[in-house]
Amino acid sequence: MYARRRHMYFAMMGLCIGLFVLAWGVVRLWSVPAAVVMCLVAMVIPPVAAVVANRRGPDDRWWDDPSGDAKSDEWWDELDGKKRR
């Protein structure tokens, strides 16, 4: 799942850079308003890409979720510095 999120992030950021370059390198010669609109669209992409890249996947282990396996949970708690009662 991590690789898929990473690929999606880089694809979105590549699209963002591509829109900026295309808008001010080519499209502005024909239509400045269209170039501005393209830049506005490109401006929205980085926050969306960050949300996509940091989204919790169904297989991701988070520090506050017990896995159900006592030995594994004990091991994770030891790594996190938690004392089991």
Side-chain angles (χ1 to χ4, degrees):
M1 293 301 274
Y2 173 71
R4 180 180 296 156
R5 290 193 314 250
R6 188 179 65 213
H7 288 139
M8 184 61 108
Y9 173 80
F10 284 120
M12 292 176 80
M13 292 307 289
L15 177 65
C16 176
I17 291 171
L19 280 172
F20 272 118
V21 170
L22 190 63
W24 295 113
V26 177
V27 176
R28 74 171 170 90
L29 300 173
W30 287 282
S31 173
V32 172
V36 170
V37 169
M38 287 174 68
C39 284
L40 290 174
V41 170
M43 180 180 70
V44 174
I45 293 174
V48 174
V51 169
V52 167
N54 292 310
R55 181 178 57 200
R56 178 181 175 179
D59 296 333
D60 292 345
R61 173 162 169 79
W62 289 77
W63 59 91
D64 58 349
D65 289 342
S67 68
D69 179 20
K71 189 146 186 105
S72 175
D73 289 340
E74 182 179 333
W75 184 77
W76 279 105
D77 287 343
E78 181 180 339
L79 284 177
D80 292 339
K82 295 180 184 174
K83 298 287 186 192
R84 293 200 51 103
R85 296 178 187 173

